[in-house]
Amino acid sequence: MEPVFKRIVLKLSGEALAGDKGTGIDSETIGRIATEIKYVSELGVEVAIVVGGGNFWRGMSAKDMDRTTSDHMGMLGTVMNALALQDALEDMGVITRVQSAIDMKQIAEPYIRRKAVRHLEKGRVVIFAAGSGNPYFSTDTAAALRAAEIEAEVILLAKKGVDGVYDSDPKTNLNAKKFDSLKYIDILNLGLGIMDSTATSLCMDNSIPLIVFGIDKPNNIIDVVLGEKIGTHVKED
Ligand code: GTP
Protein backbone atom coordinates (compact mmCIF):
# COMPACT_ATOMS: atom_id res chain seq x y z
CA MET A 1 0.00 0.00 0.00
CA GLU A 2 1.10 3.53 -0.79
CA PRO A 3 1.13 6.39 1.73
CA VAL A 4 -1.58 8.97 1.09
CA PHE A 5 0.47 11.89 2.44
CA LYS A 6 3.80 13.38 1.41
CA ARG A 7 4.44 15.62 4.43
CA ILE A 8 2.82 15.22 7.83
CA VAL A 9 2.90 16.77 11.25
CA LEU A 10 2.48 14.06 13.85
CA LYS A 11 1.36 15.47 17.19
CA LEU A 12 2.27 13.15 20.04
CA SER A 13 0.99 13.94 23.48
CA GLY A 14 3.52 13.60 26.27
CA GLU A 15 1.29 10.98 27.89
CA ALA A 16 1.61 8.85 24.76
CA LEU A 17 5.27 8.32 25.66
CA ALA A 18 4.52 7.38 29.26
CA GLY A 19 2.66 4.16 28.39
CA ASP A 20 0.75 2.68 31.30
CA LYS A 21 3.03 4.41 33.80
CA GLY A 22 1.14 7.68 33.22
CA THR A 23 4.19 9.87 33.86
CA GLY A 24 7.76 10.00 32.61
CA ILE A 25 8.88 7.94 29.63
CA ASP A 26 8.30 4.25 29.11
CA SER A 27 11.10 2.83 26.98
CA GLU A 28 8.99 0.04 25.49
CA THR A 29 6.25 2.50 24.47
CA ILE A 30 8.60 5.06 22.96
CA GLY A 31 10.38 2.22 21.14
CA ARG A 32 7.09 1.02 19.65
CA ILE A 33 6.13 4.53 18.52
CA ALA A 34 9.62 5.09 17.07
CA THR A 35 9.32 1.84 15.08
CA GLU A 36 6.10 3.11 13.50
CA ILE A 37 7.66 6.51 12.71
CA LYS A 38 10.65 4.75 11.14
CA TYR A 39 8.33 2.68 8.95
CA VAL A 40 6.42 5.74 7.79
CA SER A 41 9.62 7.71 7.13
CA GLU A 42 11.03 4.82 5.10
CA LEU A 43 7.89 4.87 2.95
CA GLY A 44 9.11 8.29 1.82
CA VAL A 45 6.75 10.37 3.95
CA GLU A 46 8.30 13.56 5.31
CA VAL A 47 7.67 13.42 9.05
CA ALA A 48 7.69 16.39 11.40
CA ILE A 49 6.76 15.72 15.00
CA VAL A 50 5.41 18.08 17.62
CA VAL A 51 5.60 16.54 21.04
CA GLY A 52 3.71 17.55 24.15
CA GLY A 53 5.02 17.52 27.70
CA GLY A 54 2.12 16.46 29.90
CA ASN A 55 3.93 13.35 31.10
CA PHE A 56 6.29 15.70 32.97
CA TRP A 57 4.35 18.87 33.63
CA ARG A 58 1.04 20.47 32.68
CA GLY A 59 1.35 24.24 32.56
CA MET A 60 -2.37 24.87 32.80
CA SER A 61 -3.05 22.68 35.81
CA ALA A 62 -0.54 24.30 38.19
CA LYS A 63 -3.15 26.57 39.80
CA ASP A 64 -0.94 28.09 42.48
CA MET A 65 1.84 29.03 40.14
CA ASP A 66 2.37 31.93 37.82
CA ARG A 67 0.97 30.73 34.49
CA THR A 68 3.92 31.88 32.39
CA THR A 69 6.44 30.19 34.69
CA SER A 70 4.36 27.04 34.68
CA ASP A 71 4.11 27.05 30.89
CA HIS A 72 7.88 27.52 30.64
CA MET A 73 8.29 24.38 32.76
CA GLY A 74 5.91 22.57 30.42
CA MET A 75 8.01 23.61 27.43
CA LEU A 76 11.08 22.14 29.11
CA GLY A 77 9.12 18.90 29.47
CA THR A 78 8.57 18.84 25.71
CA VAL A 79 12.32 19.24 25.18
CA MET A 80 12.96 16.16 27.33
CA ASN A 81 10.43 14.21 25.26
CA ALA A 82 11.96 15.46 22.00
CA LEU A 83 15.42 14.30 23.05
CA ALA A 84 14.08 10.92 24.18
CA LEU A 85 12.29 10.50 20.86
CA GLN A 86 15.43 11.49 18.96
CA ASP A 87 17.42 8.96 20.94
CA ALA A 88 14.88 6.18 20.29
CA LEU A 89 14.73 6.95 16.57
CA GLU A 90 18.48 7.27 16.07
CA ASP A 91 18.95 4.01 17.93
CA MET A 92 17.02 2.48 15.02
CA GLY A 93 19.08 4.32 12.42
CA VAL A 94 16.54 7.06 11.66
CA ILE A 95 18.28 10.41 11.12
CA THR A 96 16.57 13.12 13.11
CA ARG A 97 16.96 16.79 13.91
CA VAL A 98 15.51 18.42 17.00
CA GLN A 99 14.59 22.09 16.68
CA SER A 100 13.61 24.06 19.74
CA ALA A 101 11.34 27.09 19.78
CA ILE A 102 13.34 28.36 22.76
CA ASP A 103 17.04 28.86 22.21
CA MET A 104 19.10 26.20 23.95
CA LYS A 105 21.83 25.83 21.41
CA GLN A 106 23.92 23.36 23.38
CA ILE A 107 21.01 20.92 23.30
CA ALA A 108 19.12 21.48 20.06
CA GLU A 109 19.07 23.50 16.88
CA PRO A 110 16.99 26.64 17.04
CA TYR A 111 13.72 26.53 15.11
CA ILE A 112 14.38 27.83 11.61
CA ARG A 113 11.56 27.12 9.20
CA ARG A 114 13.63 26.90 6.04
CA LYS A 115 16.13 24.60 7.71
CA ALA A 116 13.33 22.38 9.00
CA VAL A 117 11.93 22.07 5.48
CA ARG A 118 15.39 21.25 4.11
CA HIS A 119 15.82 18.51 6.72
CA LEU A 120 12.47 17.05 5.71
CA GLU A 121 13.39 17.15 2.03
CA LYS A 122 16.53 15.19 2.91
CA GLY A 123 14.41 12.51 4.57
CA ARG A 124 15.27 13.45 8.15
CA VAL A 125 12.62 13.29 10.83
CA VAL A 126 12.28 16.73 12.40
CA ILE A 127 11.16 16.97 16.02
CA PHE A 128 9.86 20.34 17.14
CA ALA A 129 10.49 20.98 20.83
CA ALA A 130 9.33 23.69 23.25
CA GLY A 131 5.93 24.14 21.66
CA SER A 132 5.58 27.52 19.99
CA GLY A 133 7.94 29.04 22.55
CA ASN A 134 5.10 31.09 24.03
CA PRO A 135 3.19 30.68 27.27
CA TYR A 136 -0.62 30.42 27.03
CA PHE A 137 -0.33 28.36 23.84
CA SER A 138 -0.75 24.59 23.81
CA THR A 139 1.43 22.16 21.92
CA ASP A 140 -1.66 21.43 19.78
CA THR A 141 -1.48 25.08 18.73
CA ALA A 142 2.24 24.62 18.04
CA ALA A 143 1.37 21.64 15.83
CA ALA A 144 -1.13 23.77 13.88
CA LEU A 145 1.39 26.59 13.56
CA ARG A 146 4.25 24.37 12.40
CA ALA A 147 1.95 22.51 9.99
CA ALA A 148 0.96 25.82 8.41
CA GLU A 149 4.56 27.02 8.27
CA ILE A 150 6.04 23.90 6.68
CA GLU A 151 2.95 23.38 4.51
CA ALA A 152 2.15 19.94 5.84
CA GLU A 153 -0.81 18.23 4.22
CA VAL A 154 -2.28 16.99 7.46
CA ILE A 155 -1.93 16.95 11.22
CA LEU A 156 -2.13 13.51 12.75
CA LEU A 157 -3.26 14.01 16.32
CA ALA A 158 -2.30 10.86 18.20
CA LYS A 159 -4.26 10.59 21.42
CA LYS A 160 -3.80 8.36 24.40
CA GLY A 161 -6.87 6.68 25.87
CA VAL A 162 -9.30 7.70 23.12
CA ASP A 163 -9.57 6.69 19.44
CA GLY A 164 -11.29 9.72 17.92
CA VAL A 165 -13.65 12.58 18.63
CA TYR A 166 -16.84 11.79 20.57
CA ASP A 167 -19.92 13.88 21.30
CA SER A 168 -19.29 13.38 25.02
CA ASP A 169 -16.57 11.82 27.14
CA PRO A 170 -16.51 8.09 26.26
CA LYS A 171 -14.81 7.34 29.58
CA THR A 172 -17.82 8.58 31.55
CA ASN A 173 -20.67 8.16 29.03
CA LEU A 174 -21.08 4.64 27.65
CA ASN A 175 -23.46 6.01 24.97
CA ALA A 176 -20.98 8.57 23.67
CA LYS A 177 -21.04 8.66 19.88
CA LYS A 178 -17.87 8.77 17.83
CA PHE A 179 -17.67 11.05 14.81
CA ASP A 180 -16.13 9.64 11.63
CA SER A 181 -15.82 13.12 10.23
CA LEU A 182 -16.40 16.60 11.53
CA LYS A 183 -15.96 20.27 10.65
CA TYR A 184 -13.73 22.53 12.70
CA ILE A 185 -16.62 24.82 13.40
CA ASP A 186 -18.44 21.87 15.03
CA ILE A 187 -15.58 21.44 17.50
CA LEU A 188 -15.99 25.08 18.48
CA ASN A 189 -19.80 25.14 18.45
CA LEU A 190 -20.25 21.86 20.34
CA GLY A 191 -17.43 22.69 22.75
CA LEU A 192 -15.71 19.36 22.03
CA GLY A 193 -12.60 19.12 24.17
CA ILE A 194 -10.40 17.35 21.65
CA MET A 195 -8.34 20.47 20.94
CA ASP A 196 -8.31 23.94 22.47
CA SER A 197 -10.05 26.71 20.55
CA THR A 198 -6.81 28.47 19.57
CA ALA A 199 -5.46 25.34 17.87
CA THR A 200 -8.84 24.58 16.30
CA SER A 201 -9.18 28.11 14.90
CA LEU A 202 -5.66 28.07 13.48
CA CYS A 203 -6.37 24.81 11.66
CA MET A 204 -9.75 26.05 10.47
CA ASP A 205 -8.50 29.41 9.22
CA ASN A 206 -5.63 27.80 7.34
CA SER A 207 -7.59 24.80 6.01
CA ILE A 208 -5.30 22.19 7.55
CA PRO A 209 -6.96 18.78 7.69
CA LEU A 210 -6.67 16.89 10.97
CA ILE A 211 -7.01 13.23 11.81
CA VAL A 212 -7.58 12.37 15.46
CA PHE A 213 -6.79 8.76 16.30
CA GLY A 214 -5.70 6.54 19.16
CA ILE A 215 -2.03 5.86 19.81
CA ASP A 216 -2.65 2.86 22.07
CA LYS A 217 -3.39 0.47 19.24
CA PRO A 218 -0.17 -0.73 17.59
CA ASN A 219 0.37 0.27 13.94
CA ASN A 220 -2.20 3.06 14.00
CA ILE A 221 0.34 5.68 12.86
CA ILE A 222 1.21 3.46 9.89
CA ASP A 223 -2.42 2.65 9.11
CA VAL A 224 -3.48 6.28 9.13
CA VAL A 225 -0.62 7.24 6.79
CA LEU A 226 -1.66 4.41 4.47
CA GLY A 227 -5.12 5.94 4.26
CA GLU A 228 -7.08 3.54 6.46
CA LYS A 229 -10.25 5.15 7.73
CA ILE A 230 -9.55 5.19 11.43
CA GLY A 231 -10.25 7.86 14.03
CA THR A 232 -12.04 11.10 13.21
CA HIS A 233 -11.29 13.23 10.17
CA VAL A 234 -11.68 16.96 10.72
CA LYS A 235 -11.88 19.35 7.80
CA GLU A 236 -12.79 22.94 7.15
CA ASP A 237 -16.05 22.02 5.40
P1 GTP B 1 22.62 20.18 6.27
O1 GTP B 1 23.18 21.54 6.31
O2 GTP B 1 21.38 20.08 5.45
O3 GTP B 1 23.61 19.12 5.93
O4 GTP B 1 22.06 19.89 7.75
P2 GTP B 1 22.81 19.33 8.98
O5 GTP B 1 21.83 19.41 10.10
O6 GTP B 1 23.40 17.98 8.78
O7 GTP B 1 24.02 20.32 9.17
P3 GTP B 1 24.43 21.21 10.34
O8 GTP B 1 25.88 21.48 10.13
O9 GTP B 1 23.48 22.34 10.48
O10 GTP B 1 24.22 20.29 11.63
C1 GTP B 1 25.05 19.21 11.97
C2 GTP B 1 24.60 18.65 13.30
O11 GTP B 1 24.67 19.68 14.30
C3 GTP B 1 23.15 18.17 13.33
O12 GTP B 1 23.04 17.04 14.18
C4 GTP B 1 22.39 19.33 13.90
O13 GTP B 1 21.19 18.93 14.56
C5 GTP B 1 23.40 19.89 14.86
N1 GTP B 1 23.21 21.32 15.04
C6 GTP B 1 23.14 22.29 14.11
N2 GTP B 1 22.93 23.50 14.66
C7 GTP B 1 22.87 23.30 15.99
C8 GTP B 1 22.64 24.14 17.14
O14 GTP B 1 22.46 25.35 17.04
N3 GTP B 1 22.65 23.53 18.35
C9 GTP B 1 22.82 22.20 18.49
N4 GTP B 1 22.78 21.69 19.72
N5 GTP B 1 23.03 21.38 17.46
C10 GTP B 1 23.04 21.92 16.23
Side-chain angles (χ1 to χ4, degrees):
M1 275 172 90
E2 289 290 307
V4 293
F5 306 114
K6 181 85 186 80
R7 180 176 294 169
I8 63 170
V9 166
L10 173 66
K11 166 68 209 306
L12 290 173
S13 66
E15 288 91 344
L17 306 181
D20 293 336
K21 294 198 306 182
T23 58
I25 292 168
D26 177 60
S27 58
E28 204 175 302
T29 304
I30 200 170
R32 197 257 298 167
I33 292 172
T35 308
E36 295 187 33
I37 295 167
K38 175 183 162 83
Y39 188 95
V40 164
S41 170
E42 286 176 352
L43 287 174
V45 179
E46 296 177 7
V47 184
I49 302 170
V50 172
V51 67
N55 51 331
F56 288 119
W57 185 259
R58 290 208 150 274
M60 260 170 60
S61 42
K63 300 282 178 231
D64 299 331
M65 194 182 267
D66 172 66
R67 171 70 192 263
T68 301
T69 305
S70 184
D71 279 350
H72 283 156
M73 291 170 65
M75 289 178 217
L76 294 176
T78 72
V79 177
M80 288 200 269
N81 284 333
L83 294 178
L85 208 49
Q86 176 171 52
D87 186 78
L89 284 163
E90 298 211 324
D91 208 40
M92 298 175 184
V94 183
I95 300 172
T96 68
R97 295 289 185 265
V98 175
Q99 291 199 342
S100 172
I102 295 177
D103 265 10
M104 43 179 90
K105 284 199 172 176
Q106 285 76 6
I107 292 176
E109 289 181 29
Y111 171 64
I112 300 169
R113 182 182 73 94
R114 293 176 71 106
K115 211 162 159 50
V117 169
R118 196 78 192 99
H119 289 321
L120 291 170
E121 287 168 351
K122 289 184 176 178
R124 298 162 181 159
V125 171
V126 177
I127 306 167
F128 294 124
S132 69
N134 298 296
Y136 293 93
F137 289 91
S138 66
T139 48
D140 283 351
T141 304
L145 177 64
R146 295 293 181 248
E149 286 184 277
I150 66 168
E151 297 178 356
E153 285 165 87
V154 69
I155 299 172
L156 306 182
L157 188 62
K159 287 272 178 191
K160 187 168 166 52
V162 63
D163 62 352
V165 185
Y166 286 77
D167 61 356
S168 58
D169 187 350
K171 286 176 196 143
T172 51
N173 179 5
L174 288 177
N175 296 318
K177 180 180 155 291
K178 185 173 146 194
F179 295 101
D180 290 329
S181 64
L182 204 60
K183 293 177 194 167
Y184 280 114
I185 196 74
D186 298 328
I187 296 182
L188 297 175
N189 286 342
L190 300 173
L192 304 174
I194 201 76
M195 262 197 341
D196 60 89
S197 58
T198 314
T200 307
S201 304
L202 201 52
C203 287
M204 182 170 72
D205 293 350
N206 294 287
S207 311
I208 309 166
L210 172 81
I211 302 175
V212 183
F213 66 101
I215 189 75
D216 304 298
K217 186 161 168 273
N219 284 342
N220 259 1
I221 298 175
I222 298 171
D223 289 344
V224 84
V225 165
L226 292 177
E228 275 197 35
K229 293 272 170 273
I230 53 173
T232 301
H233 292 233
V234 189
K235 287 195 183 130
E236 188 193 13
D237 49 39

